[in-house]
Amino acid sequence: MQNILKYRQRIILLLILPFLCLLSLGLLLYTGLLWPNALFASSYQVRGLDVSSYQQKIDWKLVSQTGTYTFVFMKATEGKYYKDPFFQANWQGARTYGILRGAYHYYTEYRTGAEQADNYISMVPKEADMLPPVLDLEVPGPDHAIMLKEIKVFLDRIEAYYGVKPIIYTDHTRYDEYIKGNFTKYAIWIRDILMPAQWSQKNGWTFWQYSSRGHIPGVPGFVDLNVFFGDKAKLQELTSKK
């Protein structure tokens, strides 16, 4: 009888241990304390973050004191009307503490490219040492040809105003759907938070968003983490000289 009890205890232990291991792994991933891409991103020395109103009020002094983050992209606008309420504070805060900053526009499928470009232009100033404007392309359009046409209108209008080619932020799906074969001359900021960008077929990316659950002093909650494909001198070359 004692041997049977010991046998049952071993079986129960063998069943519980894998469950506890999976639960611990899940918690580490959920909290961002462990991230699958962190090891692959560690080989890139120029690091940054991207923020929006989701992070609320950011203490840029604390961010700068980490000595880790060279650049930040911050949400400025979305669609025709939306303006991020924290943009101005983020724009000035990052500049005050010497973090290179750029602004992005979240593109929506139900507004024209001209309307969305005008919204961005009304919000984001032309200043020295700013990174190129960013088109955040994550949504599909109901009509592929019209979507391509309006994206081009947006990009052309932004380039004409700021005097520099915008960067396109996108994931693998939208890249294949809209960017590939159409906007290949633009710098690409690729989103892949699960798999290393080095393993994908998207060669030539400039920025890589590798995590959505970063922890940074001064930033409330989770924050997106990024790396730049190049050194600090190359990053500086992207900034406006106006």
Side-chain angles (χ1 to χ4, degrees), residues 46 71 73 100-102 127-134 162-167 185-189 205-207 227-242:
V46 182
F71 66 90
F73 286 107
L100 293 178
R101 73 264 190 270
E127 295 181 359
D129 296 325
M130 61 185 287
L131 291 165
V134 176
Y162 291 96
V164 62
K165 266 194 180 320
I167 296 166
K185 293 184 180 180
Y186 291 82
I188 298 299
W189 175 10
W205 54 267
T206 303
F207 295 91
V227 293
F228 172 69
F229 191 85
D231 57 19
K232 289 184 179 180
K234 283 290 183 183
L235 181 65
Q236 190 68 49
E237 287 177 9
L238 293 180
T239 60
S240 171
K241 302 301 185 289
K242 288 184 177 59

Side-chain angles (χ1 to χ4, degrees), residues 33 55 74 83 88 135 169 178 186 205 207 209 218-219:
L33 297 176
Q55 281 73 40
M74 53 195 70
K83 293 175 169 59
Q88 296 296 347
L135 166 64
Y169 167 94
Y178 295 113
Y186 291 82
W205 54 267
F207 295 91
Q209 184 187 93
V219 182

Side-chain angles (χ1 to χ4, degrees), residues 66-103:
T66 66
T68 302
Y69 304 99
T70 305
F71 66 90
V72 58
F73 286 107
M74 53 195 70
K75 185 173 184 177
T77 50
E78 177 177 336
K80 180 180 179 180
Y81 298 110
Y82 179 80
K83 293 175 169 59
D84 192 295
F86 289 86
F87 173 74
Q88 296 296 347
N90 287 332
W91 190 254
Q92 295 304 322
R95 181 181 185 181
T96 297
Y97 292 101
I99 301 173
L100 293 178
R101 73 264 190 270

Side-chain angles (χ1 to χ4, degrees), residues 158-172:
I158 292 295
E159 182 174 355
Y161 183 81
Y162 291 96
V164 62
K165 266 194 180 320
I167 296 166
I168 301 176
Y169 167 94
T170 192
D171 55 25
H172 293 293

Side-chain angles (χ1 to χ4, degrees), residues 4-225:
I4 293 175
L5 288 174
K6 288 183 178 179
Y7 176 75
R8 287 179 177 174
Q9 289 174 348
R10 290 194 189 99
I11 294 298
I12 293 172
L13 189 61
L14 288 173
L15 291 173
I16 290 176
L17 279 176
F19 172 76
L20 291 176
C21 289
L22 288 173
L23 180 61
S24 298
L25 179 61
L27 287 172
L28 288 171
L29 291 172
Y30 177 78
T31 58
L33 297 176
L34 177 68
W35 200 256
N37 279 333
L39 178 63
F40 296 93
S42 64
S43 60
Y44 300 95
Q45 296 187 3
V46 182
R47 313 177 79 77
L49 60 154
D50 62 273
V51 300
S52 69
S53 60
Y54 288 112
Q55 281 73 40
Q56 300 290 305
K57 186 177 181 180
I58 296 172
D59 188 331
W60 289 102
K61 182 177 181 180
L62 286 180
V63 176
S64 68
Q65 286 176 343
T66 66
T68 302
Y69 304 99
T70 305
F71 66 90
V72 58
F73 286 107
M74 53 195 70
K75 185 173 184 177
T77 50
E78 177 177 336
K80 180 180 179 180
Y81 298 110
Y82 179 80
K83 293 175 169 59
D84 192 295
F86 289 86
F87 173 74
Q88 296 296 347
N90 287 332
W91 190 254
Q92 295 304 322
R95 181 181 185 181
T96 297
Y97 292 101
I99 301 173
L100 293 178
R101 73 264 190 270
Y104 71 87
H105 173 85
Y106 186 91
Y107 195 89
T108 59
E109 72 278 17
Y110 49 86
R111 293 295 181 184
T112 67
E115 290 173 325
Q116 298 192 62
D118 288 346
N119 187 21
Y120 182 92
I121 290 169
S122 73
M123 188 68 162
V124 182
K126 285 192 287 188
E127 295 181 359
D129 296 325
M130 61 185 287
L131 291 165
V134 176
L135 166 64
D136 180 347
L137 184 60
E138 302 181 54
V139 297
D143 186 296
H144 187 264
I146 292 177
M147 187 76 165
L148 281 175
K149 176 185 174 183
E150 294 301 332
I151 290 171
K152 186 176 188 306
V153 169
F154 178 92
L155 293 170
D156 289 348
R157 202 175 185 98
I158 292 295
E159 182 174 355
Y161 183 81
Y162 291 96
V164 62
K165 266 194 180 320
I167 296 166
I168 301 176
Y169 167 94
T170 192
D171 55 25
H172 293 293
T173 301
R174 300 300 160 236
Y175 180 92
D176 291 336
E177 189 173 4
Y178 295 113
I179 308 306
K180 186 178 180 180
N182 296 299
F183 302 107
T184 55
K185 293 184 180 180
Y186 291 82
I188 298 299
W189 175 10
I190 195 71
R191 179 185 191 270
D192 197 332
I193 62 173
L194 297 177
M195 299 294 290
Q198 301 93 321
W199 292 5
S200 75
Q201 300 300 312
K202 310 302 184 296
N203 297 321
W205 54 267
T206 303
F207 295 91
W208 170 30
Q209 184 187 93
Y210 69 89
S211 173
S212 60
R213 291 186 175 270
H215 297 274
I216 298 177
V219 182
F222 298 126
V223 64
D224 297 331
L225 301 178

